[in-house]
Amino acid sequence: MDRVDSSTEEEITVPLLLSVDEIIEQSIGRLNFTQILQIILVSLPSFFDSQQTFISVFAHAQPTWHCTGSNTSCASNSNLCDLSKTEWAWDSGNVYTSIISEWNLQCLGSIIAGMPGTAFFIGCFLGGLLLATLGDSSLGRKNLLCISSLVMSVAALASAFSPNVWVYSVFRFLCGIGRAPVAICALVLLTERVSKRWRAQAAMAGFVTFSLGILGLTGIAFLTRDFSWRTLYLWTSVPGIISSVLCYLFLYESPRWLLMQGREKDAMAVLRGLGSDTIISPSLLNAKTEQKLPKTNPFISLKILLSRRWAVKRLIASMLLAFGIGLIFFGMFLGVGNLGFDIYLTSVFNAILTLFSYLLTFLWWIQHCNRRSSLLGFCTISGATCLIFSVMGTSHKGILISLEIVSLFCASMANNLVLMYMVELFPTCVRNSGSSLVRQAMILGSVFDPMLVMLGTKNIIYSYGTFGLVMLLCGFLVLWLSETRGKVLCDTMEEQELVDQDTKLLF
């Protein structure tokens, strides 16, 4: 046994060799005020992430219109594309509250009208593939989070000055590239800087702020409903830029990642900054738990991940599962206009519903329920109810809204669980890469949502029917994955293999 002496830290006796997890647990096992402030700071980008993700609900909405003159061929239920421009006008007059009215996209088909939304999600997908591994290698969690958030907000600000739909789609694509790593970086950073006891509660903060961002977006959209859609972008992008700068100035890096990179002094500084009274010296780190990634190759973590057969199988099953969940989760939010209800009230209600699902997930469900069985149940219920009300149509309003509530709630629970599940499935050395790839599969599912939503304006079975069917099929893939409830976070591939072999869960 060795004794660690320091004038600023408590004198303690520790074992000669410790894992990274043991060092973190013993150094910052208690949650203090500084850690709470850091949790809030890490969660800020998620607030603006949700706003840029769902801003199209309002900026791309079909504006209301009215007939002009006394032409009897024009009626409120007429198809605009069958009428002459002199027979009708937008209710907003010369104020373009949507890109649909400003650029006359109402009759150009689902591909052109849905192009900006699709471009955004394609950017999210490609951005995740290109940037995901940087969080494990050269940039680290903090820098990638701040840079991504800044790029997302700057591109959103530029979107407000777009002269046409083509330039606008380019800026939405760049915005998607920027926001791609935000959610997973925030989740990984939140879970890696607290002890196992507080992991679920810390992760919940990012999800809660995501819901609050949707509520904030809906409030801003309602207050600016009589103004140009460009105003909505200004009010959501400028605060996002300020938030990115604050995060860069005051946010701490993950001590786990610093230790895995061999930056012991920086890790000690972070632990002190987090207000730890007892700091275990990294010199006691078990050499077998170190897996330093060469800084010359930013994609080395991806190479390590794909070098193990069990990891590849785990990754494929996780990505297909996430694809189905992403398709229905984002699609149900973006498709609220197809249900025939007020988009402001429906968006608020959906945000509150998901907020409740976040609280339920992280305050109770994560601690008491298995990941696999819960995901299977929620995916099955969400997919089945979505299929049912898509076949019924919009004629039965009461039944429709009831089934939509059930389907969205279960999709939200599945979305919450799968993101937390992915953090637990992969070790520290590849956690950001593995989790990000799974997240990108979720985003890939959402790439098809804008076009499906536009098709759903004719018949909701084209949108919600597709959501439900894919969710049902992909949900059963969770049976291929290992149960992770109550297990420690592993740090290296070797350690993960040993843990899985001990529990007979390795593929």
Side-chain angles (χ1 to χ4, degrees), residues 135-136 140-145 188-189 192 253 257 428 432:
D136 284 326
R141 281 67 157 134
K142 171 196 167 180
N143 289 335
L144 182 57
L145 176 64
V188 170
L189 195 53
E192 286 189 346
E253 181 57 90
W257 179 79
T428 301
N432 207 80

Side-chain angles (χ1 to χ4, degrees), residues 284-321:
L284 300 172
L285 179 67
N286 189 338
K288 293 182 180 180
T289 69
E290 294 190 78
Q291 189 156 332
K292 302 177 184 179
L293 305 179
K295 298 180 181 179
T296 56
N297 187 354
F299 300 102
I300 188 64
S301 60
L302 184 60
K303 181 179 179 180
I304 293 174
L305 177 64
L306 299 179
S307 65
R308 311 296 174 100
R309 186 168 177 266
W310 62 267
V312 173
K313 289 184 175 181
R314 181 172 295 185
L315 182 64
I316 292 174
S318 301
M319 291 177 69
L320 290 174
L321 171 65

Side-chain angles (χ1 to χ4, degrees), residues 53-54 56 110-111 113-129 172-173 176-177 179-180 322-332 334 439-455 466-467 470:
T53 301
F54 299 115
S56 60
S110 58
I111 295 179
M115 181 175 59
T118 300
F120 173 79
F121 286 111
I122 290 176
C124 293
F125 178 70
L126 295 179
L129 293 179
R172 291 303 292 161
F173 174 77
I177 288 179
R179 67 83 58 180
F323 177 88
I325 294 175
L327 183 74
I328 192 171
F329 178 73
F330 290 101
M332 293 191 75
L334 297 175
R439 172 73 174 173
Q440 294 327 114
M442 184 179 291
I443 297 301
L444 179 61
S446 65
V447 165
F448 302 96
D449 287 330
M451 289 183 289
L452 289 173
V453 168
M454 294 303 296
L455 288 172
T466 304
F467 299 157
V470 175

Side-chain angles (χ1 to χ4, degrees), residues 125-137:
F125 178 70
L126 295 179
L129 293 179
L130 295 174
L131 303 177
T133 59
L134 299 181
D136 284 326
S137 53

Side-chain angles (χ1 to χ4, degrees), residues 186-486:
L187 181 61
V188 170
L189 195 53
L190 284 167
T191 54
E192 286 189 346
R193 292 192 317 183
V194 295
S195 64
K196 182 172 65 175
R197 177 185 176 186
W198 301 106
R199 192 182 302 155
Q201 289 83 349
M204 180 187 70
F207 289 91
V208 169
T209 53
F210 189 87
S211 284
L212 294 178
I214 300 175
L215 288 173
L217 171 67
T218 306
I220 296 172
F222 181 78
L223 294 175
T224 61
R225 64 190 182 280
D226 296 326
F227 296 88
S228 169
W229 58 271
R230 301 173 188 270
T231 305
L232 184 60
Y233 272 100
L234 292 176
W235 279 100
T236 54
S237 60
V238 174
I241 294 174
I242 297 173
S243 167
S244 303
V245 174
L246 290 176
C247 286
Y248 182 78
L249 293 176
F250 301 108
L251 200 59
Y252 290 124
E253 181 57 90
S254 163
R256 283 180 180 271
W257 179 79
L258 291 171
L259 287 172
M260 295 300 295
Q261 292 290 306
R263 296 168 56 181
E264 289 85 1
K265 291 183 179 179
D266 292 334
M268 292 282 284
V270 169
L271 293 176
R272 291 192 184 94
L274 291 173
S276 175
D277 296 325
T278 302
I279 300 178
I280 308 298
S281 172
S283 62
L284 300 172
L285 179 67
N286 189 338
K288 293 182 180 180
T289 69
E290 294 190 78
Q291 189 156 332
K292 302 177 184 179
L293 305 179
K295 298 180 181 179
T296 56
N297 187 354
F299 300 102
I300 188 64
S301 60
L302 184 60
K303 181 179 179 180
I304 293 174
L305 177 64
L306 299 179
S307 65
R308 311 296 174 100
R309 186 168 177 266
W310 62 267
V312 173
K313 289 184 175 181
R314 181 172 295 185
L315 182 64
I316 292 174
S318 301
M319 291 177 69
L320 290 174
L321 171 65
F323 177 88
I325 294 175
L327 183 74
I328 192 171
F329 178 73
F330 290 101
M332 293 191 75
F333 268 102
L334 297 175
V336 294
N338 294 346
L339 298 178
F341 301 102
D342 182 87
I343 60 172
Y344 299 102
L345 289 177
T346 307
S347 296
V348 168
F349 191 79
N350 287 346
I352 293 175
L353 188 67
T354 55
L355 178 59
F356 173 72
S357 75
Y358 294 150
L359 296 174
L360 177 62
T361 300
F362 294 101
L363 293 181
W364 188 84
W365 208 279
I366 287 291
Q367 291 89 340
H368 297 89
C369 299
N370 291 340
R371 282 40 165 169
R372 291 205 311 168
S373 56
S374 296
L375 275 170
L376 179 61
F378 286 128
C379 288
T380 302
I381 295 173
S382 179
T385 51
C386 196
L387 273 176
I388 292 172
F389 76 73
S390 68
V391 173
M392 289 175 51
T394 59
S395 56
H396 303 83
K397 295 292 185 181
I399 299 176
L400 173 65
I401 192 63
S402 299
L403 292 177
E404 194 267 348
I405 289 173
V406 173
S407 184
L408 179 59
F409 175 77
C410 290
S412 298
M413 291 292 290
N415 176 70
N416 306 342
L417 287 170
V418 77
L419 291 177
M420 189 67 186
Y421 192 24
M422 296 309 108
V423 170
E424 297 173 339
L425 275 175
F426 299 99
T428 301
C429 63
V430 296
R431 181 170 298 124
N432 207 80
S433 299
S435 301
S436 293
L437 287 174
V438 175
R439 172 73 174 173
Q440 294 327 114
M442 184 179 291
I443 297 301
L444 179 61
S446 65
V447 165
F448 302 96
D449 287 330
M451 289 183 289
L452 289 173
V453 168
M454 294 303 296
L455 288 172
T457 57
K458 300 177 182 178
N459 190 327
I460 65 171
I461 196 171
Y462 296 136
S463 53
Y464 287 92
T466 304
F467 299 157
L469 180 62
V470 175
M471 182 68 148
L472 278 175
L473 295 176
C474 293
F476 286 98
L477 291 171
V478 73
L479 298 176
W480 279 36
L481 300 175
S482 309
E483 180 58 54
T484 60
R485 179 187 166 214

